[in-house]
Amino acid sequence: MKKFTQLNGLVAPLDRANVDTDAIIPKQFLKSIKRSGFGPNAFDEWRYLDHGEPGMDNSKRPLNPDFVLNKPRYQGASVLLVRDNFGCGSSREHAPWALEDYGFRAIIGPSFADIFFNNSFKNGLLPIKLPEAEVDVIFKQIEEHVGYSLDIDLDKQTITRPDGKVIGFEIDGFRKHCLLNGLDDIGLTLQKADLIKAFEAKRRVEQPWLFA
Amino acid sequence: MPQTLYDKLWQNHVVHTEEDGTALLYIDRHLVHEVTSPQAFEGLKLANRKLWRVSSIVATADHNTPTDHWEDGIKDPISRLQVETLDANIKEFGALAYFPFKDARQGIVHVMGPENGATLPGMTVVCGDSHTSTHGAFACLAHGIGTSEVEHVMATQCLLQKKSKSMLVRVDGKLGAGLSGKDIALAIIGKIGTAGGTGYAIEFGGEAIRALSMEGRMTLCNMAIEGGARAGMVAVDDNTINYLKGRPFAPKPEQWDAAVAYWRTLVSDEGAEFDRVVVLDAAEIQPQVTWGTSPEMVTTIDGAVPSPDDFADPVKREGVARALQYMGLTPRTPMSEIAIDKVFIGSCTNSRIEDLREAAAVAKGKHVAPNVKLAMVVPGSGVVKRQAEAEGLDKVFKDAGFEWREPGCSMCLAMNADRLEPGERCASTSNRNFEGRQGNGGRTHLVSPAMAAAAAIAGHFADVRKLS
């Protein structure tokens, strides 16, 4: 997994609540057996004017000029600013894969759906929860300043706005540790293989019907 | 201290707890399908890892499989490759059971698991699929996971998790005639919102839940995720135990009594405290129909399409305006005047035998309205299909002008050929009315199986209780 330590990134605003993972990456792209290459199809139905299918040359498709990520001022954005309940719906990890492949490294919003939130951490994509009022201010500031970017420091758990204001954010200690060091969860868990084996052996005796 | 059902399930699976409260949770059952597993199997291969416990895996192909002309196989080469990749991975890694495309017991993973007794009370059940919450109907801790976690469970039999908060949704009283678990689910989501359950594990309780069959409870728990809760659950009672008896993977006769004795403990203790309690009166629940692009955008069949002006919050108002534009609806239109183009009866929410019986009871002796281009019934599994055919339900549907299809996820998410065309409006028994969910530009209204059948017959949404 990619490490996440610090980021100074251009921010793109996606001003709608309940953005679901079907919108982030439509189902036809889930037929892939790979975990890369989803970026060109992130937000496919909003981003392009035609209907997208796997295998198309996306560089030749007509872009929807009204979709925020297509506006010249947000090209190269690595931070996505969102509204409530971002990433709701399907558990597809293709959603964070698509966002990460597009170029996002952090997503800031008032709330995230649980599974999406969890999946993001596994892919070096940092979801940050901020109070709604703070999110509102950033939405407003972006509107007023072309080239609006934020400084994110994971170790210090801070976001610094261009006006110098520093906003703190919360993150679980374990997730922070994994993200800062780019650690592979599986390797870490397997260090506890003996504990798992002991637990399993006890369970096999107590509830043998689970091990048919 | 009195414990909730969730407390008990949690405690029973903790292998280890980190300093920050992150727990290593043991997983009993891992359900696998073709869409969210290929990258996980590939990860295992790259790291030269094996499955920790082969007998925990039960797999099937469901999302990409066609629902007609099985003799032609899977025509879409990309879909076919994904299904064949699962075939190859199961062959290489193993499983307790695999029901591939065309197998007699193949079906939607959340229908197939319970009907085979692969889902048992007290288990932790995971699957790379958000509707894994379905299995909570059996007093399981069951929830969807991403593909990285699928790989993690395959390699370690565990999941890293933080304990959720607990919510009790109590539905008191008796549900009226013509109503079902689907109406309860939509009424709850209408009340708490699609993010209302975020961060919670929900237990559904109360008289109306106790009165639900296992099929009805599965429908309800299935939609816990649409209320934002990863896990929904219902305590064990006689319904649970009677359902499981004799299923292929249920405990063997010599283990049955011990299993039942343990299962009986899987209820919230008297006086157990929940972080949040939501109460609904079943007698007040009316047939539900969604009007927007989120399951919380729901009203009753007697209701009407709202106006954005009804909402004070600007983000919500904007969301409603956008939803109405997408759905092609005008504010104040009575729900019963909205005409439909297609009907879909199926999905992991509503494709079980009881769902098909309820829809067939409405369709019997009637005919699909001329303005309805397609009304399709997609049984949840081969087992459901054969049971329905043994009861003559297929004939009821076909005589009424419905198409009777092969099992699979089908038009719930339109990964196979079954889909809505842009602008088409559908009465659907599935779980998500998101933009494009059933096909690019398609317009989905979520309803119960009985209400879907009523809409098919009337050609527009109609109160199933008033259908003559």
Side-chain angles (χ1 to χ4, degrees):
Chain A
M1 187 178 77
K2 252 191 216 170
K3 277 185 194 180
F4 188 108
T5 49
Q6 286 172 320
L7 173 71
N8 174 269
L10 182 71
V11 190
L14 187 60
D15 195 359
R16 54 199 285 174
N18 298 317
V19 172
D20 58 76
T21 53
D22 274 83
I24 299 171
I25 183 83
K27 83 290 243 133
Q28 61 269 35
F29 304 107
L30 273 50
K31 295 176 189 177
S32 167
I33 55 172
K34 301 192 181 117
R35 67 190 300 159
S36 58
F38 296 100
N41 300 110
F43 301 109
D44 198 276
E45 289 187 8
W46 296 341
R47 192 162 148 202
Y48 300 98
L49 292 171
D50 63 345
H51 174 68
E53 284 291 335
M56 287 169 87
D57 180 353
N58 294 297
S59 67
K60 297 203 171 113
R61 295 175 57 199
L63 291 171
N64 173 6
D66 296 331
F67 182 54
V68 66
L69 294 185
N70 289 335
K71 303 207 170 185
R73 62 177 287 194
Y74 299 120
Q75 298 314 300
S78 57
V79 180
L80 186 65
L81 184 70
V82 300
R83 293 289 186 187
D84 263 324
N85 202 26
F86 186 82
C88 60
S90 159
S91 62
R92 59 189 70 168
E93 195 161 317
H94 312 66
W97 291 342
L99 294 172
E100 199 270 340
D101 195 51
Y102 179 92
F104 290 115
R105 295 300 317 275
I107 310 174
I108 301 173
S111 66
F112 296 88
D114 286 339
I115 302 177
F116 174 82
F117 189 71
N118 211 33
N119 286 342
S120 296
F121 283 103
K122 314 284 182 194
N123 293 283
L125 182 66
L126 175 63
I128 301 174
K129 285 184 211 169
L130 287 187
E132 193 145 18
E134 296 281 10
V135 173
D136 277 340
V137 172
I138 303 175
F139 266 107
K140 200 154 172 290
Q141 291 189 340
I142 293 176
E143 212 175 296
E144 290 160 2
H145 303 280
V146 175
Y148 187 94
S149 64
L150 291 169
D151 269 312
I152 300 172
D153 187 322
L154 177 58
D155 187 39
K156 292 187 186 141
Q157 297 180 217
T158 56
I159 297 172
T160 309
R161 294 199 315 229
D163 61 7
K165 176 159 180 197
V166 179
I167 309 163
F169 63 87
E170 296 294 319
I171 179 171
D172 288 342
F174 185 72
R175 281 176 164 150
K176 178 177 170 178
H177 173 71
C178 290
L179 213 46
L180 279 174
N181 298 292
L183 294 177
D184 165 18
D185 274 359
I186 295 177
L188 283 179
T189 300
L190 285 175
Q191 289 174 8
K192 302 199 174 67
D194 289 345
L195 284 176
I196 302 169
K197 280 181 195 156
F199 181 93
E200 196 167 55
K202 188 164 152 269
R203 196 160 183 77
R204 207 178 274 274
V205 173
E206 288 171 358
Q207 296 182 50
W209 58 86
L210 295 177
F211 294 85
Chain B
M1 207 173 96
Q3 286 186 305
T4 63
L5 169 59
Y6 176 57
D7 290 334
K8 292 179 186 182
L9 292 171
W10 178 268
Q11 195 179 47
N12 198 251
H13 291 88
V14 174
V15 174
H16 174 77
T17 309
E18 299 285 340
E19 270 174 38
D20 75 342
T22 304
L24 196 58
L25 215 58
Y26 187 81
I27 302 303
D28 296 308
R29 174 67 67 228
H30 191 177
L31 300 167
V32 172
H33 65 75
E34 79 275 20
V35 181
T36 53
S37 65
Q39 298 87 350
F41 280 115
E42 191 185 57
L44 291 185
K45 283 181 219 171
L46 288 173
N48 205 15
R49 286 171 177 144
K50 291 189 196 127
L51 294 177
W52 179 281
R53 183 159 70 82
V54 173
S55 70
S56 67
I57 308 262
V58 175
T60 194
D62 54 5
H63 285 61
N64 282 279
T65 55
T67 59
D68 58 358
H69 299 294
W70 271 13
E71 67 283 3
D72 297 341
I74 303 172
K75 287 181 195 154
D76 177 352
I78 312 176
S79 285
R80 190 170 64 236
L81 175 64
Q82 196 167 54
V83 171
E84 287 171 355
T85 301
L86 180 61
D87 293 342
N89 281 329
I90 295 295
K91 198 170 171 197
E92 180 177 346
F93 286 87
L96 173 69
Y98 179 42
F99 305 118
F101 174 45
K102 295 187 186 178
D103 188 277
R105 282 152 79 188
Q106 177 266 352
I108 306 174
V109 68
H110 308 306
V111 176
M112 171 280 291
E115 77 187 3
N116 282 291
T119 301
L120 297 173
M123 276 183 166
T124 39
V125 180
V126 296
C127 175
D129 193 291
S130 60
H131 290 111
T132 310
S133 57
T134 308
H135 307 266
F138 294 86
C140 291
L141 179 54
H143 57 76
I145 55 178
T147 298
S148 294
E149 289 181 317
V150 167
E151 185 182 339
H152 191 277
V153 175
M154 284 174 169
T156 71
Q157 211 57 44
C158 290
L159 205 53
L160 288 160
Q161 281 262 291
K162 270 206 148 172
K163 197 174 176 189
S164 303
K165 290 180 282 184
S166 62
M167 185 191 296
L168 173 66
V169 175
R170 207 180 71 215
V171 188
D172 294 331
K174 286 190 172 62
L175 202 60
L179 288 120
S180 69
K182 183 62 162 289
D183 298 296
I184 300 181
L186 288 169
I188 291 169
I189 294 162
K191 188 175 169 108
I192 68 172
T194 48
T198 302
Y200 289 92
I202 297 181
E203 179 176 346
F204 298 101
E207 187 187 350
I209 308 301
R210 297 259 71 86
L212 285 177
S213 65
M214 291 314 292
E215 285 84 355
R217 293 176 191 180
M218 281 189 258
T219 300
L220 185 60
C221 290
N222 173 278
M223 291 198 69
I225 184 66
E226 309 318 329
R230 289 179 79 167
M233 61 195 80
V234 176
V236 166
D237 63 7
D238 290 343
N239 282 0
T240 325
I241 290 161
N242 293 338
Y243 178 97
L244 290 167
K245 200 152 197 179
R247 304 262 166 192
F249 295 113
K252 296 184 191 81
E254 63 272 22
Q255 296 169 336
W256 179 257
D257 290 344
V260 170
Y262 171 64
W263 295 346
R264 292 278 184 200
T265 68
L266 297 172
V267 298
S268 286
D269 296 330
E270 188 73 34
E273 283 189 28
F274 291 83
D275 295 302
R276 188 177 167 199
V277 178
V278 174
V279 181
L280 278 84
D281 179 359
E284 285 178 9
I285 296 175
Q286 305 292 314
Q288 306 280 308
V289 187
T290 64
W291 49 263
T293 53
S294 164
E296 71 183 13
M297 294 175 166
V298 65
T299 185
T300 61
I301 185 64
D302 299 331
V305 176
S307 165
D309 300 337
D310 302 345
F311 300 83
D313 173 27
V315 176
K316 214 159 213 178
R317 193 162 58 231
E318 179 61 26
V320 169
R322 197 184 281 123
L324 294 188
Q325 192 190 10
Y326 180 85
M327 293 297 289
L329 292 173
T330 311
R332 313 295 175 221
T333 307
M335 294 310 291
S336 59
E337 287 180 11
I338 300 172
I340 55 161
D341 303 304
K342 286 184 176 171
V343 176
F344 172 60
I345 297 176
S347 87
C348 59
T349 313
N350 280 130
S351 63
R352 298 180 181 83
I353 189 66
E354 185 184 271
D355 301 317
L356 303 191
R357 286 177 190 144
E358 285 171 6
V362 175
K364 192 167 189 172
K366 301 195 178 68
H367 204 276
V368 170
N371 63 302
V372 177
K373 292 183 238 174
L374 170 71
M376 62 194 295
V377 184
V378 182
S381 69
V383 173
V384 171
K385 184 168 190 250
R386 282 189 301 280
Q387 174 67 30
E389 287 171 353
E391 296 178 20
L393 304 184
D394 59 324
K395 191 163 185 313
V396 170
F397 285 122
K398 285 188 271 190
D399 287 350
F402 288 80
E403 290 193 13
W404 178 247
R405 297 290 188 92
E406 303 291 346
C409 298
S410 181
M411 208 163 70
C412 171
L413 87 167
M415 268 188 85
N416 69 355
D418 308 332
R419 65 190 61 175
L420 298 180
E421 296 302 321
E424 280 185 340
R425 190 178 299 287
C426 182
S428 179
T429 67
S430 56
N431 38 59
R432 292 189 173 133
N433 49 356
F434 299 158
E435 284 185 23
R437 171 80 179 181
Q438 292 194 292
N440 183 27
R443 294 161 171 167
T444 303
H445 295 262
L446 305 176
V447 288
S448 72
M451 284 290 287
I457 304 303
H460 53 83
F461 293 105
D463 191 336
V464 65
R465 299 168 303 181
K466 294 177 188 161
L467 213 64
S468 56

